[in-house]
Amino acid sequence: MKFTLVGTGTLVPDADRGSAGFLVQDGKTSLLVDGGSGTLQRLARSGFDARRLDGGVYSHRHLDHCGDLPALLFTLHFSFDLPRTRDYPIWAGQGFSALIRGLGTAWGRQLVAEHYATPVFELPLDGSGRAELPGGLVLDTLPANHEEGALHLRFTSPSGASVVFSGDTGPSENLVMLARGADLLVCECALPEGHPYSMHLSPSQVAAIVDAARPAAVRLTHFYPGTDPEAALSLVSSTGVPSQRGYDGELIVIGE
Ligand SMILES: [Zn+2]
Ligand SMILES: [Zn+2]
């Protein structure tokens, strides 16, 4: 399985780090995971044409994670040189279908194709969820400690390789459970210690999760200004779990 960090930034404009976006690839299957503004362009920079996606998985409905969705649906719909004939399925927490319906209301025929569909498969916000994805990949989810239908996501390939994405979250036993034994944990590290907003993680809270879950490797992402990435990395690395700060365009090969 290949996992590309397409965007490792936040909602803050940053020349080097786009809003949250990731690409999961296994065999011939390619799935987008989140996609804030600029994700289509950053995918292209990584050498991947978004029109070849088999579907999308969204951690939640904040715009730094799904802002490029209307642009993506428009692109799929009107690519005359590469017309789409198959559905574009989406997996996300409960409430996401309403978002898709709202986009259809706002943009109409710009986003709603006649010759294929955009089915939404909603996962529960009150317990564990599981979905079979294209290519034999399996998605397991647990609710995150955040807003807008937020989930933690775990992707498992047919060969058993696994990647967990925290999505946005505050301290979360669910994340510890889901990340246990994973080959890779991609974890947000948004806020400095003591910040009053409780639905993101500080470096010490990330370190506690990593220490409890013991994944094989960690990539830190989603730093807001004011959070020191180097200090965070040294704290998380003190758990003994190999950890790095991810960067846009980073390709991580797992289990091959
Ligand atoms: Zn969020
Ligand atoms: Zn976010």
Side-chain angles (χ1 to χ4, degrees):
M1 180 159 52
K2 292 191 279 188
F3 196 82
T4 304
L5 310 182
V6 179
T8 60
T10 61
L11 56 76
V12 179
D14 185 313
D16 300 318
R17 296 183 181 274
S19 290
F22 307 91
L23 181 67
V24 172
Q25 293 175 290
D26 192 68
K28 292 180 176 169
T29 303
S30 300
L31 297 165
L32 183 66
V33 181
D34 283 1
S37 65
T39 294
L40 297 190
Q41 192 273 341
R42 283 179 186 268
L43 274 173
R45 186 177 288 178
S46 300
F48 185 83
D49 186 336
R51 299 175 300 176
R52 301 190 185 280
L53 285 166
D54 296 299
V57 181
Y58 287 88
S59 68
H60 66 303
R61 301 188 302 272
H62 275 154
L63 278 162
D64 57 325
H65 296 255
C66 68
D68 238 9
L69 179 56
L72 172 62
L73 297 179
F74 183 65
T75 297
L76 297 179
H77 191 178
F78 287 106
S79 284
F80 298 114
D81 62 319
L82 192 65
R84 192 169 188 97
T85 54
R86 59 205 172 101
D87 288 355
Y88 185 77
I90 291 174
W91 291 263
Q94 288 167 331
F96 210 87
S97 332
L99 172 68
I100 295 286
R101 280 198 302 277
L103 293 176
T105 303
W107 274 291
R109 278 182 38 76
Q110 288 192 61
L111 301 193
V112 182
E114 299 90 35
H115 47 291
Y116 67 89
T118 307
V120 177
F121 302 96
E122 293 190 339
L123 293 142
L125 300 180
D126 59 355
S128 61
R130 171 168 280 203
E132 300 234 346
L133 304 177
L137 287 157
V138 173
L139 169 66
D140 286 292
T141 65
L142 281 172
N145 178 10
H146 197 67
E147 303 173 294
E148 298 293 337
L151 297 173
H152 306 303
L153 310 173
R154 179 173 178 135
F155 299 89
T156 307
S157 74
S159 69
S162 55
V163 177
V164 172
F165 173 45
S166 63
D168 282 357
T169 189
S172 167
E173 273 306 308
N174 280 347
L175 181 55
V176 173
M177 266 198 282
L178 207 63
R180 211 162 257 147
D183 294 309
L184 175 68
L185 168 64
V186 177
C187 194
E188 74 124 285
C189 191
L191 297 179
E193 307 295 343
H195 194 281
Y197 186 69
S198 62
M199 285 183 274
H200 276 304
L201 292 171
S202 72
S204 65
Q205 290 166 337
V206 174
I209 287 166
V210 168
D211 199 29
R214 312 300 301 179
V218 169
R219 287 295 183 284
L220 300 180
T221 185
H222 217 51
F223 287 91
Y224 273 92
T227 310
D228 179 353
E230 292 309 315
L233 191 55
S234 96
L235 197 57
V236 175
S237 295
S238 72
T239 62
V241 175
S243 304
Q244 294 175 32
R245 183 183 189 185
Y247 58 89
D248 285 25
E250 182 179 4
L251 168 65
I252 303 162
V253 180
I254 301 138
E256 287 173 29

